[in-house]
Amino acid sequence: MFFISSFLHVSVHQVTVFKLLPLYFPSSFPISKIYFNLFFFFFSFSFFNFSKPLFSRLCLNRSMDFAKLKRMLYYWIHQIVNILLRLTWHLLHVTIHLFYFAINIANALESLLISKGLLRRYKSLHISKLQYLAIVIESEDCRTSNVIELLQWLADLGVKHVCLYDKEGILKKSKDFILEKFDGATLFQENDVLLDQPLMTLEFASFSDGKEAVAKAANVLFMKYLKSGSTSSYQGEQIFTESQMGEALKTVVGGNGPEPDLLLVYGPARCHLGFPAWRIRYTEIQHMGPLKSMKYGSLIKAIYKFTMVQQNYGK
């Protein structure tokens, strides 16, 4: 429509010019040539007026198409990168699972060979180096049947002094049942000396014992230095040392237990689960996995590794 209106507008002026031409030019002048040039000029002018907005629209469409293509390109690049990252993550996850699966298979096979006595180096255990053994068990896995079976294995290996610990105190509440079911065991007292004896001694501990012992030790130190401060002229800040705290713990009930040589952790967490820290300063700690999947060969291997370790004590 724009082209038609422009062309019609130019045609009106063209007709007017054509009528006035004979008045300004003589008859001998080639009027036809002038008509042709004028017609070409007016036609070119009208075509230019029509093509100018069309060309601008074409350029705008091309720029919009380029922006859309750019956005699509960024979108697909983003999707491909996400897919590659996900594949890399899953591949790494599968690799780690396969690695730990292979380790578990190897450990299970080694434990089977040890329990069958096919590996000679595990036959000779220097059990005399293990004076006191502590066993930390996750409270959710405290099944008395498994605990009694584990104690029977330790008795067969010649371990004489064992401390059973769980955070919630479930084993401590079941100590009478365990002592009744496990023949040949007595209850350990704090003043007992770790000597070779025919019967196994058992100590039952929980998180509340250590918490209560620390509170009592702090009360002992407070009363001691409160009395010394009232008789002394110096009222400065008192600093407690590790040795003073250790002496205070020895004077209270629950804080004077022996330090285990080896601590075996049965549970998902690789920590001592709140076992009294002042009793494991030089203790070797080993994680054994869940109690329900305990193995006799793994127990022998853990004790063997401890007996082969040489501990160096600082001054």
Side-chain angles (χ1 to χ4, degrees):
M1 294 298 293
F2 176 78
F3 174 74
I4 295 173
S5 61
S6 300
F7 183 76
L8 291 175
H9 180 70
V10 173
S11 299
V12 172
H13 291 283
Q14 182 179 358
V15 171
T16 304
V17 173
F18 288 165
K19 289 181 180 180
L20 295 176
L21 277 177
L23 298 177
Y24 293 97
F25 292 95
S27 58
S28 61
F29 194 84
I31 299 299
S32 59
K33 187 175 183 180
I34 296 174
Y35 284 161
F36 177 78
N37 291 332
L38 288 174
F39 178 78
F40 181 77
F41 169 76
F42 286 117
F43 181 80
S44 301
F45 180 76
S46 61
F47 181 77
F48 175 76
N49 290 334
F50 169 75
S51 61
K52 185 177 179 180
L54 182 63
F55 180 75
S56 61
R57 292 180 183 177
L58 182 61
C59 293
L60 182 62
N61 291 334
R62 287 184 177 180
S63 61
M64 292 178 62
D65 292 342
F66 179 75
K68 184 178 180 181
L69 180 62
K70 187 177 179 180
R71 289 195 300 269
M72 291 181 62
L73 182 62
Y74 285 160
Y75 172 78
W76 285 112
I77 290 175
H78 181 71
Q79 293 295 326
I80 292 172
V81 170
N82 283 339
I83 292 174
L84 291 177
L85 289 177
R86 287 177 179 272
L87 288 176
T88 304
W89 170 253
H90 287 296
L91 181 61
L92 181 63
H93 194 67
V94 170
T95 303
I96 293 175
H97 271 280
L98 291 177
F99 175 75
Y100 280 104
F101 178 75
I103 290 178
N104 292 332
I105 293 297
N107 290 335
L109 181 60
E110 185 183 18
S111 176
L112 180 62
L113 296 176
I114 293 173
S115 60
K116 297 296 183 181
L118 299 178
L119 299 180
R120 295 181 179 180
R121 61 176 179 174
Y122 294 105
K123 289 183 178 181
S124 58
L125 293 177
H126 302 285
I127 204 66
S128 58
K129 295 182 65 176
L130 184 59
Q131 294 293 324
Y132 199 77
L133 173 66
I135 298 177
V136 175
I137 303 175
E138 179 71 28
S139 298
E140 297 179 357
D141 295 338
C142 288
R143 298 181 180 179
T144 54
S145 58
N146 293 336
V147 173
I148 293 173
E149 184 179 5
L150 179 60
L151 291 175
Q152 187 61 50
W153 289 350
L154 293 173
D156 295 339
L157 294 175
V159 179
K160 298 300 182 181
H161 306 284
V162 179
C163 175
L164 296 175
Y165 172 89
D166 73 288
K167 190 174 183 179
E168 302 296 332
I170 297 177
L171 294 175
K172 194 174 183 178
K173 296 177 183 178
S174 305
K175 63 181 179 180
D176 294 334
F177 178 78
I178 293 175
L179 291 173
E180 181 182 355
K181 292 296 181 178
F182 183 68
D183 296 333
T186 59
L187 189 63
F188 179 80
Q189 304 296 331
E190 289 190 358
N191 296 326
D192 291 349
V193 182
L194 299 180
L195 298 175
D196 291 336
Q197 52 186 1
L199 298 179
M200 177 185 291
T201 60
L202 296 178
E203 178 188 1
F204 297 88
S206 62
F207 181 77
S208 60
D209 296 332
K211 187 177 181 180
E212 184 179 359
V214 171
K216 291 180 179 179
N219 190 28
V220 169
L221 290 174
F222 174 75
M223 296 301 297
K224 179 180 178 180
Y225 285 96
L226 183 64
K227 292 179 181 179
S228 64
S230 61
T231 58
S232 175
S233 59
Y234 177 71
Q235 299 294 332
E237 182 180 359
Q238 297 291 341
I239 300 177
F240 300 137
T241 62
E242 182 181 354
S243 59
Q244 292 172 342
M245 190 67 184
E247 292 177 359
L249 286 170
K250 290 180 181 179
T251 59
V252 300
V253 179
N256 194 23
E259 297 184 7
D261 301 307
L262 176 63
L263 188 144
L264 302 179
V265 180
Y266 284 94
R270 294 178 177 268
C271 62
H272 55 76
L273 298 177
F275 192 88
W278 60 89
R279 295 181 57 180
I280 55 175
R281 294 176 295 176
Y282 305 105
T283 301
E284 189 79 16
I285 302 176
Q286 294 191 28
H287 183 255
M288 303 296 292
L291 183 66
K292 60 183 180 181
S293 60
M294 63 180 185
K295 298 178 178 60
Y296 181 64
S298 300
L299 179 64
I300 296 177
K301 182 181 178 180
I303 296 176
Y304 174 80
K305 289 176 65 176
F306 167 76
T307 58
M308 299 303 295
V309 172
Q310 183 179 358
Q311 292 184 340
N312 299 320
Y313 299 94
K315 294 182 179 180

